[in-house]
Amino acid sequence: MLQHVLGHGAGAVLVALVLGLLHLLSGSALDRHLFGAAAVGAHAVPEWGVALPWLGALAALLVLVGALPLLGTAAGAGLALGLAGMLLALQWGAMQAASVALPLTLPAAVLVLGWLVQVLLVRAGPALKAVAAPSPAEAESDRMMGLALMGQGQLDMAFERLRRARGLPQVQGDLLNLAHEFEQKHRYDQAVAVYEHLLRHDRQHAEARKRRKRARHLAEIAAQASKPQELPPDSVAHPAVLGRYQIEKELGRGAMGVVYQGRDPKIGRIVAIKALALVQEFDGAALVDARARFFREAESAGRLQHQNIVTIYDAGEDQGLAWIAMELLKGQDLSSATEPGKLLPVGQVVSIAARVADALDYAHQQNVVHRDIKPANIMYDPRTDAVKVSDFGIARITDSSKTRTGLVLGTPSFMAPEQLAGQRVDGRCDLYALGVTLFQLLSGQLPLRGNSMSELMHHIAHTPAPDLRTLRPELPAALAQVVEQALRKNPRERFQTGRQFAAALRGVHATLGGAGAPATVPTGQGLVYDALSNPPEHNMSDFQETVMDAAAPRTPTAGRDKAEP
């Protein structure tokens, strides 16, 4: 009972203190008080009796722990006091009959004191339990507060509250959910702490035991990934080799990494190698996630075989750099064609945008969303009139993680309202970004701007894009209408597929005197997004998907689509 109330450690300390105190008393004052100072001084302890008090004390403790809790108050008192009296009588008898001092005062005192302590605990037990355990109302209040804090993302405070809510059966489920939230935020050590708390109260909790093992493994991976790695310097020098490719020179640098020209020594092919220093942008579990995402998305992009999409040959990791080898393109990206005074002819812009829409339509049918369509990711060679969309999958590597400054990687000015809000992302986000790109290529400025990130996000979410013809009145009304439709806030009101977008652009191109496809929408198996249909075979990957937990299959529901902006 003492151990149940005070715990094993506190009970052991109390027993040790009591034994030490009684040892002092039994060797001096207690014996002289019971048997007389003259009698104690006239008798010597035999050599074999030196250990007798401690052996007797151990036997007395065994009686207190093993026998007394099974007896009632009266029977326990009779046993303890009877044994104590027998020990004292034996000591007195040995002194009188054999002139030998048997030191049995200590075990007798342990019996009496232990009995008194147990009597006190029996009477005070209910009160102590009432103080130690919260009332059902208090436990429920702590639980509700913990759930509220968990909903606000304050997971540490939620854990403290849920730990107090003892005695409620539903708290175990709440703690499992809390540990899962810690894992989702890559805080695996805290998740392990929650699972261990559950197991301290229920050693047979199989789910907590299994999850604890997994969380420990992920924590080890995150700790290993957070170790600094040797990186190539940001100077003119570049690595001599990445994977099997020999690096010949640097082609350019950007926010997402460095592009090198490389050679495949096996077949002599010249390639462009984009190298990303993930360890500079991520650490810990986020780095693990980014690495896995990198190779998964590189694999997805590598399956895209389209005349308007850059071909991916290979991917790997070397010298702290994650790299992708792709076809080396001639020409340059369209970022320079967005400056006033350097705009391309209208017919040329419309033709380029139509081919980009074709490429997006193909990618979306392969369940690949680009997520970062902008002029810098569209390559154009005016000599051959070749158009290539680059960096498929690169934005996907980083869109659910944040940089050290806290900003989402990517280009917010080109993001659709639902993408900025963290809602479901599908191919219509790419078509919105293509609309922004088209607006910028035709006018030399972005449709929506802001003095801060919050102001820009507010405009993207709520402010309609300006009419393109207010900036360039000479543009055809049909072209302005195509751009306006592409930039609508509600994804259901935009072009639903790249094929539709391309057909509309080619219709405009035909009115400009250029060749192109008719404006009718092709009849084929294209993607369709509406309030009634979202076929599973056309589902895009969820924005929240991580490498640790695969996205659950989405069940099409009309209610969910109605909730979209």
Side-chain angles (χ1 to χ4, degrees), residues 447-460:
L448 298 171
R449 291 172 291 180
N451 295 322
S452 64
M453 178 64 71
S454 59
E455 183 179 354
L456 172 62
M457 294 176 67
H458 176 80
H459 286 321
I460 292 175

Side-chain angles (χ1 to χ4, degrees), residues 63-87:
V63 172
L64 291 173
V65 174
L68 259 63
L70 304 177
L71 303 175
T73 304
L79 177 62
L81 297 178
L83 290 175
M86 291 174 57
L87 291 174

Side-chain angles (χ1 to χ4, degrees), residues 361 365 499 522-527 538:
D361 185 73
Q365 293 190 58
R499 185 177 302 186
T523 58
Q525 294 299 321
L527 297 179
H538 292 154

Side-chain angles (χ1 to χ4, degrees), residues 262-410:
R263 177 185 294 272
D264 187 341
K266 293 184 178 180
I267 58 177
R269 179 165 53 194
I270 303 299
V271 298
I273 299 178
K274 171 160 284 191
L276 307 179
L278 297 179
V279 294
Q280 291 183 345
E281 293 293 344
F282 307 94
D283 55 18
L287 177 58
V288 178
D289 192 12
R291 278 175 173 160
R293 193 181 297 278
F294 175 89
F295 291 110
R296 186 174 61 190
E297 295 305 321
E299 179 184 0
S300 298
R303 293 197 300 266
L304 300 180
Q305 301 294 323
H306 191 273
Q307 66 270 21
N308 298 123
I309 296 177
V310 175
T311 303
I312 303 296
Y313 298 129
D314 200 358
E317 186 174 16
D318 193 7
Q319 304 176 56
L321 295 172
W323 55 267
I324 295 179
M326 61 190 75
E327 68 174 304
L328 181 63
L329 302 175
K330 296 180 180 180
Q332 58 184 9
D333 65 67
L334 293 179
S335 56
S336 61
T338 61
E339 302 174 12
K342 298 183 179 180
L343 301 182
L344 298 175
V346 174
Q348 197 172 19
V349 171
V350 173
S351 175
I352 291 172
R355 282 176 280 178
V356 173
D358 287 336
L360 293 176
D361 185 73
Y362 167 79
H364 297 163
Q365 293 190 58
Q366 309 303 314
N367 294 338
V368 177
V369 184
H370 190 290
R371 296 171 179 265
D372 198 21
I373 290 294
K374 57 186 178 183
N377 286 332
I378 301 173
M379 303 295 294
Y380 179 64
D381 184 0
R383 292 173 297 180
T384 60
D385 193 36
V387 177
K388 295 277 188 176
V389 181
S390 64
D391 281 357
F392 263 97
I394 298 297
R396 176 67 176 153
I397 297 164
T398 54
D399 62 5
S400 68
S401 304
K402 296 174 185 285
T403 64
R404 284 187 287 268
T405 61
L407 295 179
V408 176
L409 289 174

Side-chain angles (χ1 to χ4, degrees), residues 471-488:
L471 302 175
R472 291 189 65 180
E474 74 275 14
L475 293 177
L479 179 57
Q481 176 61 33
V482 170
V483 175
E484 184 274 332
Q485 182 175 351
L487 296 179
R488 290 178 183 174

